[in-house]
Amino acid sequence: MDPKVSKADAALDKMRAEKRLKSVEDRRVASEVFDKLTLETLYKLANNGYLNILNGAISTGKEANVFKGIHDKGHIVAVKIYRINTSDFKKMQYYIQGDPRFKVRTNNKRQLVNAWVNKEFRNLNRCLEADINVPEPVIAKNNVLLMEFIGDEDGNPAPTLRNQPPEKPEKCFETLINAMKKMYHDAKLVHGDLSGYNILNHNEEPVIIDVSQSVVTDHPISRELLERDIDNIIRDFKKFGVFATHDEIKQKIIEK
Ligand code: ADP
Ligand code: MN
């Protein structure tokens, strides 16, 4: 046989095999996200008028998938679905235990995830009330959170600060430190996972997301988390050419 042909055949075979594998993987992920109870939750949200169509995946994270949902024509919502099986229960339990708002004393994974989603919903509301730029939450039901879609009118989600550095880094940094300050003093929360990955660049305005692990300031680990958030933000903004020291930023956030 012509060696060139056999090489092409082999490449084609490999492609086909990869495609098959990918579709198996897609199906595995799909069945992990859309288990029976999650589907029921989505149907309920649809029946209650919160959601019409789920289309387009925005992100597949460690614990949750984010999709674009169509509410009405031209009205998009972000749909964050926590996968029960891949959630980090130990972490959830630990964070929830020290939070006086929650009295969940359970080892039941589903109940824990539901409490976790409820926590993200409530944290978003607390941030909004403190005038911090976050997506407006719509509803939390079981392991599903619906919130305002941050993006453009064509349905393109806003990039993260990591993917799209700010055009005016100094200004963006100042806005963020201000948001951290408001979060600390007014919302009385510490984000706990703040970095360029959890900040969206929405037309050059930073929007803070992913507040599920955010803790109240009197949680025993809030100080430790604040220190880490400060380090992450300083590290990321250093890449954008903004230089600041940990103590200077901490001082700014903590002082009234
Ligand atoms: P994870 O726990 O997987 O990190 P996030 O809440 O950070 O979950 O969301 C993952 C990704 O989904 C984000 O980096 C962002 O790209 C996208 N995303 C999340 N929420 C929204 C939203 N409200 N609008 C648009 N995109 C969003
Ligand atoms: Mn995230």
Side-chain angles (χ1 to χ4, degrees):
M1 210 211 287
D2 180 348
K4 258 199 255 151
V5 172
S6 74
K7 220 170 155 191
D9 272 351
L12 212 61
D13 275 350
K14 188 162 171 269
M15 253 164 62
R16 286 200 191 99
E18 271 167 8
K19 209 167 163 191
R20 263 200 308 281
L21 266 182
K22 193 166 179 299
S23 79
V24 168
E25 175 67 12
D26 282 351
R27 251 179 282 146
R28 193 185 64 77
V29 169
S31 70
E32 216 168 67
V33 187
F34 301 111
D35 58 40
K36 192 164 167 279
L37 284 170
T38 301
L39 283 174
E40 272 174 28
T41 302
L42 289 168
Y43 290 141
K44 274 185 199 141
L45 287 169
N47 283 336
N48 292 329
Y50 287 105
L51 191 65
N52 264 322
I53 313 167
L54 205 60
N55 76 345
I58 301 177
S59 146
T60 306
K62 237 174 34 217
E63 299 182 300
N65 294 53
V66 180
F67 296 91
K68 242 175 10 185
I70 310 289
H71 181 242
D72 274 319
K73 203 170 179 293
H75 182 187
I76 305 170
V77 286
V79 186
K80 185 169 180 179
I81 304 178
Y82 279 82
R83 298 183 304 271
I84 307 294
N85 282 324
T86 46
S87 293
D88 184 347
F89 309 105
K90 283 275 172 291
K91 179 182 100 184
M92 289 181 175
Q93 213 159 26
Y94 183 65
Y95 278 59
I96 284 176
Q97 258 166 17
D99 191 324
R101 292 174 298 174
F102 293 91
K103 297 276 166 279
V104 203
R105 296 284 172 269
T106 181
N107 286 318
N108 181 294
K109 293 185 172 179
R110 205 165 270 282
Q111 275 173 20
L112 255 174
V113 175
N114 293 354
W116 192 252
V117 175
N118 187 254
K119 185 153 103 86
E120 184 161 2
F121 177 83
R122 290 170 68 167
N123 286 345
L124 282 173
N125 265 329
R126 265 169 96 134
C127 289
L128 266 189
E129 278 161 22
D131 204 27
I132 300 160
N133 210 356
V134 295
E136 187 177 343
V138 179
I139 190 175
K141 192 165 180 59
N142 301 328
N143 58 327
V144 179
L145 172 68
L146 257 59
M147 62 187 141
E148 178 189 356
F149 171 77
I150 307 296
D152 67 19
E153 269 133 46
D154 296 331
N156 305 304
T160 63
L161 223 47
R162 271 275 175 159
N163 287 331
Q164 187 161 318
E167 277 167 17
K168 294 183 178 144
E170 295 275 358
K171 183 170 163 268
C172 184
F173 187 67
E174 207 188 297
T175 309
L176 267 176
I177 301 304
N178 234 326
M180 287 172 82
K181 196 179 169 83
K182 281 194 274 189
M183 204 162 171
Y184 188 79
H185 290 288
D186 303 337
K188 296 200 169 14
L189 288 173
V190 171
H191 188 287
D193 192 18
L194 201 60
S195 77
Y197 291 110
N198 282 330
I199 301 164
L200 301 181
N201 182 347
H202 190 219
N203 307 320
E204 296 305 317
E205 279 303 322
V207 181
I208 294 174
I209 59 164
D210 207 0
V211 295
S212 62
Q213 73 295 309
S214 303
V215 297
V216 286
T217 42
D218 48 19
H219 193 290
I221 55 170
S222 74
R223 254 318 154 92
E224 190 189 314
L225 292 181
L226 180 66
E227 306 269 353
R228 200 174 67 187
D229 283 353
I230 292 171
D231 284 340
N232 288 342
I233 289 302
I234 289 178
R235 185 205 58 220
D236 281 351
F237 273 81
K238 202 169 160 185
K239 295 188 193 108
F240 309 148
V242 180
F243 299 93
T245 67
H246 180 100
D247 289 344
E248 169 199 342
I249 297 306
K250 189 169 152 187
Q251 177 72 24
K252 266 194 190 158
I253 292 172
I254 288 174
E255 76 185 6
K256 275 264 181 203

